[in-house]
Amino acid sequence: MLGGAGILLGVAAVPAQAAEVSYKTECIPPAASGLDPVEGTTKVEITAPATAKVGDEIEVVWKFVQAASKNPDLIVLPKDSVKPTGTLKASGAQTADIAMEGPQKNPEIPKGGDMVLSDMTGKVKLTTAGDVTLTPDAYTITAYSTDTKCTPQEAVPAAATIKVTAAEGGSTTSGGSTSGGTTTSGGTATGGDTGGTTSGGSTTGGSTTGGGTTSGGSTSGGSTSGGSTSGGDDGQTDFAGKTVATSFACTSPGPAKIDSTATINAKKNGGSYDLTVKTAEGVMNSPAPLPAGALKPSMVITVGGDDSGSLKVEGPANKDALNTGDPVSLGDMTGTYKPGADGKATLSPGDLTIVVTLSAGSDPITIPCKATKTAVSLELDVQKQAGGVSGATTSGSGSSSGSSSSSSSSGGGLAETGANDHGGLRALGFVAGTAILLGGAVFVFLPHRRVR
């Protein structure tokens, strides 16, 4: 609907203008790729109304004729895996930074191929009569949840000028019509600024489902039931934990912070306990295709109270391949707790590890995430068992997937892969870093979804 660029929202259509400009640009690839900055030329066509009135909200289209950088010779970018965002600067009679955004829509882009980016759109409300010029500025190319940031390296010529005239007679605000569900960005500037206009409701406020829905405490504290009568004397075998909030700090190329929830349940098995750690299901949509078996989680469970130490639980890899937009869930993580002391033992979620294997035979990539916020999920009355956990500790990072090895080489994110620094690793690091950000995003949204 490129013709929409020439339509004033709420008023009649006016002639549109389209102009192409080019400018020298530097693009900085994601750190995980190990690639140097790229300098090139960006060519952009901006389409906007030729004339408008004060009070009009207009839509502008940014079309990429040529992006400054090509796809590196590392990976093929799948169909519908690349999303552009950027800033268009308004100056002259009115100054503003117009947020531009395009859909995640592209053909498959081969290694070394031209970046094919979707058209970006944005909106601005005109406030002052006079000439308003539109000039392209910085833009970002997002693929697999990692960003390549491109900034102008010279003064950029104006791409379009809108002649804005004063509104006639203060009347026609025509009720803020339709602005409703139209594409994100832009509309935020509307507010009901023009006095008593009836547009108010168009801000569709609630759409941002504010995170407040964190039904966190819904599993009311009373569920600390706890196995408080010694695991077996009364015949109880199943012990339900409560859902607790957790946060993790991950090493590069993982996300800097993950906010999550976890629930630890136990089933008595002789003198030991079979543990199941549950997370949420369908917590996000996959931003790009991922093969079956790509994502495998594990977690350290910290033992406290009268017992001490830690143990590891592991979850299965994703059974099915994921297409772009498919919901992503982590499987239940399981392990065994063997008490090492008598009394009350507490179990809390600890460090998280996500291992990504992108194809059969490729080196697994391990992302360790240290727990920075946690709480007791389950309390059990236990009796000491031979060979129990007391005092034994389990390391979270790198301990899953034995073959991933050599996480001891500490030089930054890619040192965790167990491979040498060569071209294949850089490609793997780029994809893995982005795929692991996906894994991180799974946890980021956990508080907003129900626990299975």
Side-chain angles (χ1 to χ4, degrees):
M1 183 167 169
L2 293 182
I7 295 176
L8 290 175
L9 300 181
V11 297
V14 296
Q17 55 176 328
E20 180 181 313
V21 296
S22 62
Y23 53 98
K24 293 179 182 177
T25 311
E26 180 183 65
C27 294
I28 310 243
S33 70
L35 296 173
D36 295 327
V38 174
E39 292 192 355
T41 299
T42 298
K43 294 182 181 179
V44 168
E45 182 181 277
I46 301 297
T47 303
T51 61
K53 291 184 174 64
V54 171
D56 290 339
E57 184 183 59
I58 62 165
E59 184 176 73
V60 184
V61 175
W62 169 323
K63 179 182 180 64
F64 285 96
V65 178
Q66 174 184 296
S69 65
K70 293 180 179 289
N71 182 28
D73 293 322
L74 299 179
I75 61 169
V76 174
L77 291 174
K79 182 182 179 197
D80 298 341
S81 64
V82 181
K83 178 182 179 69
T85 54
T87 301
L88 184 69
K89 288 190 173 293
S91 59
Q94 176 180 345
T95 59
D97 286 347
I98 306 171
M100 307 295 291
E101 182 175 355
Q104 186 170 302
K105 188 172 181 61
N106 60 275
E108 181 179 282
I109 303 174
K111 296 178 183 179
D114 291 334
M115 292 296 292
V116 181
L117 304 175
S118 62
D119 295 347
M120 300 193 294
T121 60
K123 296 175 190 172
V124 62
K125 186 171 185 177
L126 301 173
T127 60
T128 309
D131 288 351
V132 177
T133 59
L134 303 176
T135 305
D137 196 50
Y139 59 93
T140 298
I141 303 169
T142 300
Y144 286 105
S145 301
T146 64
D147 294 336
T148 295
K149 296 182 180 294
C150 301
T151 54
Q153 298 300 296
E154 62 178 344
V156 182
T161 300
I162 305 169
K163 292 189 176 297
V164 183
T165 57
E168 298 174 1
S171 54
T172 61
T173 34
S174 94
S177 62
T178 62
S179 71
T182 55
T183 54
T184 58
S185 66
T188 57
T190 57
D193 2 305
T194 46
T197 54
T198 50
S199 67
S202 67
T203 9
T204 63
S207 63
T208 24
T209 65
T213 54
T214 332
S215 59
S218 61
T219 36
S220 64
S223 66
T224 337
S225 73
S228 55
T229 41
S230 105
D233 292 349
D234 64 351
Q236 184 178 357
T237 58
D238 295 316
F239 303 89
K242 64 178 180 180
T243 301
V244 296
T246 57
S247 292
F248 302 92
C250 302
T251 60
S252 177
K257 183 182 179 184
I258 296 174
D259 293 317
S260 175
T261 63
T263 307
I264 302 174
N265 298 321
K267 184 178 183 66
K268 190 170 175 60
N269 184 359
S272 299
Y273 296 84
D274 295 331
L275 303 183
T276 300
V277 179
K278 290 183 174 291
T279 57
E281 62 181 6
V283 292
M284 69 167 288
N285 293 330
S286 175
L290 289 172
L295 301 175
K296 182 176 173 64
S298 64
M299 181 182 286
V300 170
I301 302 301
T302 302
V303 181
D306 293 324
D307 202 355
S308 64
S310 62
L311 59 105
K312 186 173 72 175
V313 293
E314 294 182 292
N318 54 303
K319 290 191 304 182
D320 302 315
L322 298 169
N323 296 314
T324 301
D326 285 351
V328 177
S329 301
L330 295 182
D332 293 347
M333 292 176 277
T334 58
T336 301
Y337 165 49
K338 181 180 286 189
D342 295 326
K344 289 186 180 295
T346 60
L347 302 178
S348 307
D351 296 347
L352 169 73
T353 299
I354 300 173
V355 176
V356 174
T357 306
L358 295 172
S359 61
S362 68
D363 291 318
I365 297 154
T366 301
I367 297 293
C369 300
K370 183 175 180 58
T372 56
K373 175 184 177 182
T374 186
V376 172
S377 175
L378 182 62
E379 183 178 89
L380 298 169
D381 280 353
V382 298
Q383 295 178 338
K384 182 177 181 179
Q385 303 295 309
V389 76
S390 186
T393 58
T394 301
S395 169
S397 59
S399 57
S400 67
S401 117
S403 63
S404 65
S405 72
S406 104
S407 59
S408 60
S409 55
S410 61
L414 292 181
E416 308 296 338
T417 61
N420 293 322
D421 185 13
H422 50 72
L425 171 61
R426 290 165 65 190
L428 187 60
F430 176 76
V431 181
T434 57
I436 289 167
L437 287 176
L438 162 68
V442 169
F443 290 96
V444 170
F445 292 99
L446 281 178
H448 306 291
R449 292 299 187 98
R450 66 183 179 85
V451 173
R452 288 168 290 151

